[in-house]
Amino acid sequence: MAKFGVVVFPGSNGDQDLLLAIQDVIGEEAEYVSHRATDLSEYDVILLPGGFSYGDYLRCGAIAKSSPVMEAVKQFASEGKLVFGTCNGFQILTETGLLPGVLLNNTSLKFICAMQPLKVKNNQTMFTNEYEQDEIITLPIAHGEGNYYCDNATLKELKENNQIIFTYEKTNPNGSAEDIAGITNKEGNIIGLMPHPERAMEDLLGSSDGKKLFQSIVNHLRKVTA
Amino acid sequence: MFKVRVYVNYKASILDPQAAVIEGAIKRLGENGVSDIRVGKVFDFVIKADSKQDAEAKVDKISDNLLANPNMESYDFTVTEVN
């Protein structure tokens, strides 16, 4: 059985959604991890939730960078273990330098909360192996600073290494470069995305397309431990 | 002791949508001669250091690591000795 750790920062508000998505829908073990934790060795996957860590003071994700747990997350990731960040979790991953680029204000300057169609641009990853290549899925978004930006050299690298995993389909809600909604690091064991797969786990919620992302993680872990 | 003021601003290549909105509002006030607004941040603090050079090195490190995100922001600072 895979063990998921959900990091709780002061200001996290998507932590419970993640915990219940794993426990109730995916049926794997999950527990909360304090932002003060320094040892993550008992976990197979670390999840960084959405919300407003440290009130988004200074810049979104900037203060979380200096939480003790982020040193442990860096260590965890350097061992090739899986790290997933959604929304504020994505912002924290870029601020920490675990993912390239940065999330700017939405070009509209509005906070957007909507169901958003996405395209699966790369289904050959630890996080997307359950999806079809180029599959169009629907996940909810809820963010004010989701406009992914990086310099041209980084963008070129992201494309060359197939690190762009999800793109916005039909409309780009926040002005992100190349319609980017989610990327991985070069090694492919860290993913950050603005949409919330953990809030699309059952048809009752308007979409169950998020389920395949967590199921992909479980598939991957089964494969490597088999 | 040194008194420090750090200015953090978006890099010129980064779209500053807040500034665009403010520029529009200034025009609505009837003032048409304003352009190139950038919305930045100012940090004032006091730092202990052995010399001005030492203070500047510390401030540079703090700015680069925390106060600014070098992906999108640039920074500048002044350091003044105080008693």
Side-chain angles (χ1 to χ4, degrees):
Chain A
M1 210 167 164
K3 190 167 181 183
F4 290 70
V6 179
V7 179
V8 183
F9 296 96
S12 294
N13 67 18
D15 43 359
Q16 196 176 15
D17 294 345
L18 276 170
L19 191 87
L20 296 179
I22 304 301
Q23 287 178 342
D24 293 357
V25 186
I26 301 299
E28 299 287 329
E29 202 181 334
E31 63 184 31
Y32 294 128
V33 178
S34 163
H35 61 102
R36 295 192 185 92
T38 52
D39 179 9
L40 301 173
S41 56
E42 64 180 293
Y43 301 102
D44 300 302
V45 190
I46 287 296
L47 310 177
L48 303 179
F52 300 87
S53 57
Y54 298 88
D56 272 357
Y57 290 169
L58 187 61
R59 293 180 306 277
C60 44
I63 309 291
K65 175 168 76 170
S66 54
S67 275
V69 75
M70 288 316 293
E71 276 309 310
V73 170
K74 279 186 203 166
Q75 175 63 35
F76 184 87
S78 73
E79 292 163 11
K81 291 181 171 175
L82 277 65
V83 177
F84 160 97
T86 179
C87 207
N88 193 237
F90 186 11
Q91 294 162 345
I92 294 168
L93 287 171
T94 57
E95 278 288 338
T96 316
L98 285 169
L99 289 175
V102 68
L103 283 311
L104 303 175
N105 276 316
N106 298 344
T107 45
S108 64
L109 278 185
K110 288 181 181 137
F111 187 95
I112 308 162
C113 184
M115 294 302 278
Q116 172 69 41
L118 304 167
K119 185 186 266 188
V120 180
K121 290 287 277 187
N122 180 354
N123 74 338
Q124 304 289 309
T125 78
M126 303 172 192
F127 304 97
T128 53
N129 56 63
E130 276 271 308
Y131 293 105
E132 301 293 324
Q133 179 65 26
D134 295 331
E135 185 177 340
I136 305 297
I137 62 170
T138 302
L139 296 180
I141 53 168
H143 59 248
E145 286 161 275
N147 173 1
Y148 182 81
Y149 168 84
C150 61
D151 60 34
N152 286 334
T154 308
L155 199 56
K156 194 166 162 252
E157 212 170 286
L158 288 176
K159 284 191 207 164
E160 280 171 2
N161 299 322
N162 286 320
Q163 288 170 253
I164 300 173
I165 311 302
F166 295 105
T167 53
Y168 299 114
E169 182 69 10
K170 289 185 187 154
T171 54
N172 180 333
N174 50 41
S176 68
E178 300 277 329
D179 300 329
I180 286 173
I183 58 166
T184 60
N185 61 335
K186 209 170 172 181
E187 294 74 21
N189 64 315
I190 306 173
I191 190 168
L193 63 160
M194 286 316 296
H196 288 276
E198 77 283 11
R199 296 179 189 167
M201 298 298 285
E202 293 173 275
D203 292 334
L204 183 68
L205 299 172
S207 167
S208 58
D209 291 343
K211 224 160 84 176
K212 287 184 187 172
L213 188 141
F214 300 105
Q215 199 56 56
S216 297
I217 294 175
V218 175
N219 286 351
H220 170 77
L221 292 171
R222 294 240 163 88
K223 211 161 61 188
V224 293
T225 54
Chain B
M1 297 283 269
F2 296 86
K3 209 174 146 188
V4 179
R5 173 161 282 188
V6 181
Y7 302 86
V8 175
N9 221 317
Y10 280 129
K11 285 180 180 170
S13 59
I14 301 285
L15 171 74
D16 186 343
Q18 277 192 81
V21 170
I22 293 166
E23 212 166 291
I26 292 174
K27 282 203 182 82
R28 284 197 298 278
L29 284 175
E31 183 57 68
N32 290 312
V34 175
S35 64
D36 301 317
I37 295 184
R38 304 300 280 175
V39 180
K41 293 175 198 157
V42 175
F43 301 84
D44 285 320
F45 53 92
V46 172
I47 193 165
K48 278 185 195 160
D50 297 333
S51 64
K52 191 175 176 195
Q53 206 181 7
D54 182 30
E56 284 173 345
K58 284 181 177 182
V59 172
D60 192 49
K61 196 175 160 199
I62 293 167
S63 303
D64 194 54
N65 288 340
L66 183 65
L67 301 183
N69 180 331
N71 280 313
M72 59 171 169
E73 292 167 329
S74 58
Y75 61 89
D76 207 351
F77 55 81
T78 57
V79 174
T80 324
E81 191 160 9
V82 287
N83 293 317

